[in-house]
């Protein structure tokens, strides 16, 4: 093949023949034609609007578009695209639904964005083994619609209708994690195209066992890798029996302290709560407006319980006693499916409700997680800091597992305000680390938390991660600039 790329080098990776910065070089016509030969001409685009759409997510990070976007139709095409890029030193950026909050899809060094959404098949459903194999274009809502009459469901539920392979790539979580776990606990196997095009099954082809002591945990390595080690082209997920009965509840509190204390007390009482979510008064006002709720504008808990009718009665009684001891008011139960659906739709749309408080601005979401015993301390302090900061924001969180978000509204064109938001977020991240927590419970590191990651895992931890990255991606082509 003729020379595919215009000659150029990066100081960081001098062996590359490609550079996305237009002043230095760009994808040449022959390389684009080679991509079209793999996936078909209609599945490759270099149009500016398309590239810009793929160069940003829902975060405040500025758009950094790739040089081309491809839509492979199957794993063989993904493998061939990866091998083509690898051979020419072209960066590869996986793309799902684009709903991330850490700039994970920004093409900081240009390259080829691999949009996997057209691979949208549910490949295998094993009802008796409680597992399913899905391609990267399958979203969590689509899977649960498919499972509706099976008696099973997949409970991991981030706010957006994210792609399941993307959720695996970011170790996503959601409102049900307190009972059912995060993606780390619910991914059984992954099919991954490595940077050079080789195909890896992290637990072995076709395997979907519940436990294993065989060798290194390769599945765990790729869950949360944020597209920096390979392209996830299929994931085998653990399914759960649909609960016999479900009841949701809301209760308002006189203070943030009282609401978060109730969370800790409910967990200490061993109530098997399925969901327990905290929303401060600012977020409750936003949800009332955006989702047409009629809840008290006060610090509030949303709860949900799963089980038999008898078990639910016991859980409800115990929970009601605990929250009343902490001064709860406006305590109401939602037993009908329609009521519960409206309540949780409002919670899942909290991000968009917050954005509506300041039209035209972007949202910056913190994502710390701390041991449950330290939760009241950090949430109360964060609320005080937010009130004193002069920033517009709210607090919402999956407090049942110690994870909460401070959603800050910012004009991305106002450098001074953006700087104050980032300083607030870094201070909160360091406070979580000081309390033996983590800087990110579910959103990932992406572009914005790399310094905090270094502080969290230490020099040896970072060096170990870099060594793993160098083994799997020696040319540094997979989603460069993220995590490390």
């Amino acid at each position: 093949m003729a020379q595919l790329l215009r000659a150029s080098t990066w100081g960081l990776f001098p062996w590359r023949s490609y550079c996305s910065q237009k002043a230095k070089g760009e994808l040449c016509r022959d390389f684009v034609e080679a991509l079209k030969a793999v996936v078909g001409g209609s599945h490759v685009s270099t149009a500016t609007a398309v590239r810009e759409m793929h160069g940003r997510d829902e975060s405040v990070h500025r758009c950094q578009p790739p040089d081309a976007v491809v839509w492979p139709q199957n794993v063989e095409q993904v493998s061939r695209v990866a091998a083509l890029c690898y051979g020419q030193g072209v960066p590869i950026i996986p793309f799902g639904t684009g709903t991330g909050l850490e700039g994970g899809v920004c093409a900081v060094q240009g390259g080829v964005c691999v949009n996997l959404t057209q691979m949208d098949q549910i490949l295998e459903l094993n009802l008796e083994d409680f597992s399913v194999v899905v391609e990267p274009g399958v979203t969590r809502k689509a899977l649960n619609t498919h499972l509706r009459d099976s008696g099973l469901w997949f409970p991991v539920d981030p706010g957006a209708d994210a792609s399941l392979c993307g959720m695996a790539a970011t170790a996503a979580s959601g409102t049900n994690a307190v009972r059912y776990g995060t993606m780390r606990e619910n991914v059984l196997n992954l099919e991954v195209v490595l940077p050079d095009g080789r195909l890896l099954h992290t637990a072995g082809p076709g395997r979907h066992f519940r436990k294993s002591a065989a060798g290194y945990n390769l599945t765990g390595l790729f869950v949360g890798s944020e597209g920096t080690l390979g392209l996830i082209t299929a994931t085998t997920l653990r399914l759960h029996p649909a609960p016999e009965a479900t009841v949701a509840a809301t209760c308002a509190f006189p203070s943030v302290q009282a609401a978060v204390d109730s969370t800790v007390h409910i967990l200490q009482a061993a109530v098997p709560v399925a969901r327990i979510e905290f929303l401060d008064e600012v977020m409750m006002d936003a949800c009332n407006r955006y989702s047409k709720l009629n809840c008290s504008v006060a610090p509030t808990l949303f709860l949900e319980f799963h089980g038999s009718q008898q078990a639910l009665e016991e859980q409800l009684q115990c929970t009601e006693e605990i929250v009343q001891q902490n001064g709860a008011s406006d305590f109401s139960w939602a037993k009908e499916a329609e009521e519960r659906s409206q309540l949780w739709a409002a919670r899942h749309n909290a991000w968009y409700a917050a954005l509506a408080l300041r039209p035209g601005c972007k949202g910056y979401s913190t994502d710390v997680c701390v041991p449950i015993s330290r939760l009241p301390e950090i949430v109360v302090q964060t609320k005080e800091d937010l009130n004193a900061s002069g920033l517009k924001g709210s607090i919402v969180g999956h407090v049942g597992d110690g994870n909460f978000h401070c959603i800050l509204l910012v004009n991305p064109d106002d450098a001074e305000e953006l700087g104050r938001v980032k300083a607030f977020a870094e201070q909160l991240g360091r406070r979580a680390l000081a309390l033996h927590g983590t800087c990110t419970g579910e959103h990932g590191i992406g572009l914005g938390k790399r310094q905090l990651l270094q502080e969290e895992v230490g020099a040896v931890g970072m060096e170990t991660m870099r060594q793993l990255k160098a083994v799997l991606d020696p040319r540094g082509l997979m989603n460069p600039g993220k995590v490390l």
Side-chain angles (χ1 to χ4, degrees), residues 90 114 126 208:
V90 178
V114 182
N126 302 293
H208 50 274

Side-chain angles (χ1 to χ4, degrees), residues 130-142:
F130 297 87
S131 70
V132 65
V133 183
V134 300
E135 288 187 321
V138 179
T139 67
R140 65 175 184 85
K141 288 183 180 180

Side-chain angles (χ1 to χ4, degrees), residues 39-57:
V39 299
S42 63
H43 297 136
V44 177
S45 178
T46 56
T48 299
V50 173
R51 293 189 297 108
E52 289 182 349
M53 182 179 70
H54 287 80
R56 60 176 176 261
D57 54 16

Side-chain angles (χ1 to χ4, degrees), residues 4 35 42 44 54 99 111 122 131 188 196 200 204 210 234 249 274 301 352 363-364 398 452 460 468:
L4 296 180
L35 291 173
S42 63
V44 177
H54 287 80
T99 54
I122 296 173
S131 70
L188 303 176
D196 61 2
L200 168 68
R210 287 301 182 91
L301 290 181
Y352 306 106
Y364 189 107
H398 317 301
L452 288 172
V460 176
L468 289 168

Side-chain angles (χ1 to χ4, degrees), residues 45 59 80 147 277 470:
S45 178
S59 70
R80 291 174 63 193
L147 295 172
E277 298 286 302

Side-chain angles (χ1 to χ4, degrees), residues 427-469:
Q427 179 187 38
L428 177 54
R430 291 191 172 97
R431 179 177 292 130
L433 297 184
L435 296 176
H436 307 294
T438 176
C439 65
T440 176
E442 59 183 7
H443 295 165
I445 297 297
L447 290 173
K449 295 191 174 80
R450 289 173 292 179
Q451 177 60 41
L452 288 172
L453 175 65
Q454 293 183 36
E455 296 174 25
E456 181 168 330
V457 304
V460 176
M462 289 301 296
E463 181 60 26
T464 302
M465 290 186 193
R466 291 190 183 100
Q467 290 171 346
L468 289 168
K469 166 79 169 173

Side-chain angles (χ1 to χ4, degrees), residues 414-425:
D414 185 334
E416 188 274 335
E417 184 179 45
L418 187 59
R420 288 194 294 130
V421 165
K422 290 183 177 179
F424 181 97

Side-chain angles (χ1 to χ4, degrees), residues 290-348:
Y290 188 85
S291 298
K292 306 299 187 291
L293 297 181
N294 190 31
C295 296
S296 298
V297 179
T300 300
L301 290 181
F302 285 12
L303 306 100
E304 189 166 276
F305 305 89
H306 298 168
S308 66
Q309 291 289 354
Q310 180 179 352
L312 287 185
E313 291 178 8
E314 296 173 356
Q315 294 174 36
L316 296 176
Q317 181 180 355
C318 182
T319 300
E320 191 164 4
E321 291 175 358
I322 291 172
V323 298
Q324 287 178 349
Q325 289 171 4
N326 285 288
S329 61
D330 296 324
F331 197 84
S332 61
W333 302 108
K335 296 184 178 181
E336 299 300 322
E338 184 175 351
E339 291 180 277
R340 297 198 312 272
S341 178
Q342 181 185 22
L343 185 68
W344 292 111
R347 170 59 189 90
H348 281 126

